[in-house]
Amino acid sequence: MKKSKVIMLVAILATLASVLMACNKPSSTEKEPETIETREFETAKGVVEIPSKPLRIVTDFYGGELLSVGANVIGVEPTAFDNPFIKDLLKDAVEIGQPVNVEKVLELEPDLIVVMYDENYEQLSEIAPTIHIPYGTATNIQETVKIFEDITGNHEEAAQFISKFDQKAKEGREKLAGIIAADATFGLYELTDKGDLWIFGDNAGRGGQALYNALELNMPHENSTAEQTLQLSMEVLPEYAADYMFLTAYDPEKRGEALNALKDSPIWQGLDAMKNNQVFYNDFDTYYRYDPIAIYEQIDLFVDMLIDRSKENQTK
C-alpha cells in the first residue's frame, strides 16, 4: 500500500513539473528578447559602445554625411530640410530643433545619436549611445565618408559612394580639359548682409571640395588650405582675386543692399575676372552645403557653369 502511494506521489510531482515547465516556456507567438551586437567606437569624448549596425540614427548637422553611406536618419536639425540635395531623402525624418530638443529625441527612440555640437551631450547619452564629431574633424570628402562608414558599418554603401564620386570627378575634369587654362585660378568668396567679404579654402563649404578636390582646380596663389576662411577688405581684394571668381551672398532677408554696393564698387568692377566675364553669382543655400551628397552634385554645377560661360564668351 505504501509503495502504491509513493508511486502516485511521484506521478503527481512529475505532472506538476511538466505543467510548470510548460507555463515557463515562451509561446510560439511571443518574441524572445533580441540580442543587439555592439562594438567600441573611439570618439572625441572617449570610447563609446555603439550598435554594430545602427538602424535608427538621430543627428544634428550630419544628415547628409549619414545618408551618403545609406544610413537611416530619423531625426535631424531644421536647416537640413532646406538642403536641396538631401531634402527628398529626409521625407520620413523628424525635425529635432537646434539646439537639439532632448524630449523630441527621446520620443524617436534612436539606437544611435551623432552630433557636431555637444550642448546636450550628457542628456542625449542617457537616451542612446552618442558620438560627438567636432566640426572640421575630416579634411576632405574621402575622410568624411570613411568616418561615417565606420560609424554605421555600411562598408559596401560607402565604397559605392566613393566610386561614384571619383567617376563624377574624373568626368568633370575631362569635360573642362581645353575649356580653361591649366594655370587658371579659381576663388570662392562670400559677402554677408553687413558687407563683410570673405574668401574660402577647400574645406569650408561654398563648393570648395568640388572645385579643388574633385576638379583639381587651382586656388588663388595667396590663399591656402591652411587658411580656410579669411576676411578681406576691399583694398586687399585684388591681391586675392582669381581668374574665375564665385561669389555667394549671405542675405537672410534678401535685401540685396550689400551685393548691389559690391557690384557698384570701382574695385570690384576693375577686377580682371569682371572684365573677362568670369565672375559667377551663386545661390547661398546651394553652395553653402558641404556634405558628401552636396559635393557630388556641385561638381556638375561648376562644370556646367564654366562650360556655358566659355561658350558665351566665345560668341562675343
Side-chain angles (χ1 to χ4, degrees):
M1 188 70 178
K2 286 184 178 180
K3 186 176 181 181
S4 63
K5 286 183 177 180
V6 171
I7 293 171
M8 186 178 294
L9 181 60
V10 170
I12 291 171
L13 289 173
T15 302
L16 286 172
S18 298
V19 171
L20 289 171
M21 288 177 66
C23 291
N24 290 329
K25 184 180 179 180
S27 69
S28 59
T29 58
E30 291 179 353
K31 290 184 178 179
E32 294 186 9
E34 293 183 12
T35 302
I36 299 175
E37 186 178 343
T38 62
R39 57 194 166 93
E40 292 185 341
F41 191 87
E42 184 70 43
T43 79
K45 298 284 189 180
V47 175
V48 177
E49 190 168 337
I50 67 171
S52 294
K53 293 285 287 185
L55 301 176
R56 296 175 56 80
I57 303 178
V58 164
T59 185
D60 53 3
F61 288 95
Y62 288 120
E65 286 81 355
L66 287 160
L67 289 168
S68 72
V69 296
N72 180 33
V73 177
I74 62 170
V76 69
E77 58 82 29
T79 66
F81 297 94
D82 297 324
N83 183 332
F85 306 113
I86 66 171
K87 61 182 181 181
D88 290 342
L89 299 174
L90 293 171
K91 62 182 186 301
D92 297 322
V94 174
E95 181 263 299
I96 59 166
Q98 180 53 38
V100 173
N101 184 309
V102 176
E103 286 74 21
K104 282 188 176 182
V105 175
L106 181 62
E107 292 172 2
L108 291 174
E109 299 181 351
D111 58 3
L112 183 67
I113 301 169
V114 184
V115 293
M116 181 183 293
Y117 300 106
D118 62 350
E119 299 105 316
N120 299 322
Y121 179 83
E122 298 301 331
Q123 292 172 287
L124 294 173
S125 295
E126 294 176 3
I127 298 172
T130 301
I131 295 175
H132 176 223
I133 306 174
Y135 173 78
T137 296
T139 61
N140 57 54
I141 190 170
Q142 290 80 7
E143 288 181 6
T144 299
V145 172
K146 183 65 172 67
I147 289 172
F148 290 89
E149 171 190 353
D150 291 344
I151 288 172
T152 61
N154 293 350
H155 306 297
E156 184 177 341
E157 292 87 345
Q160 289 174 351
F161 182 87
I162 288 298
S163 176
K164 187 173 69 168
F165 175 83
D166 288 343
Q167 181 62 29
K168 174 74 73 176
K170 179 175 178 289
E171 292 171 355
R173 293 192 298 269
E174 290 172 349
K175 289 178 182 178
L176 291 179
I179 300 294
I180 56 175
D183 60 350
T185 57
F186 297 77
L188 298 169
Y189 308 84
E190 188 162 287
L191 181 71
T192 72
D193 53 348
K194 295 180 173 58
D196 298 327
L197 186 65
W198 296 78
I199 186 170
F200 291 82
D202 66 345
N203 195 38
R206 284 74 178 178
Q209 284 288 332
L211 202 65
Y212 302 126
N213 180 325
L215 296 175
E216 300 177 357
L217 299 174
N218 303 315
M219 293 184 180
H221 65 88
E222 292 90 351
N223 197 20
S224 70
T225 55
E227 210 163 29
Q228 289 295 336
T229 61
L230 179 66
Q231 187 171 2
L232 305 176
S233 66
M234 288 301 293
E235 289 72 26
V236 303
L237 174 60
E239 299 175 26
Y240 289 84
D243 297 318
Y244 294 81
M245 299 177 66
F246 303 90
L247 180 77
T248 51
Y250 175 72
D251 188 9
E253 297 181 11
K254 310 294 183 186
R255 292 180 300 179
E257 295 173 1
L259 182 58
N260 289 335
L262 178 72
K263 289 179 177 179
D264 290 340
S265 163
I267 293 176
W268 187 260
Q269 289 294 327
L271 297 174
D272 288 342
M274 278 295 295
K275 296 174 182 177
N276 296 327
N277 192 31
Q278 291 175 173
V279 172
F280 303 83
Y281 300 98
N282 291 337
D283 173 64
F284 173 83
D285 210 47
T286 300
Y287 289 89
Y288 168 80
R289 310 294 173 174
Y290 52 84
D291 63 85
I293 295 174
I295 295 166
Y296 174 85
E297 298 292 347
Q298 287 166 356
I299 294 172
D300 278 345
L301 296 180
F302 278 116
V303 170
D304 290 346
M305 75 173 81
L306 287 168
I307 291 175
D308 289 345
R309 186 61 60 87
S310 175
K311 291 177 180 177
E312 178 185 327
N313 289 341
Q314 287 175 7
T315 60
K316 288 185 176 181

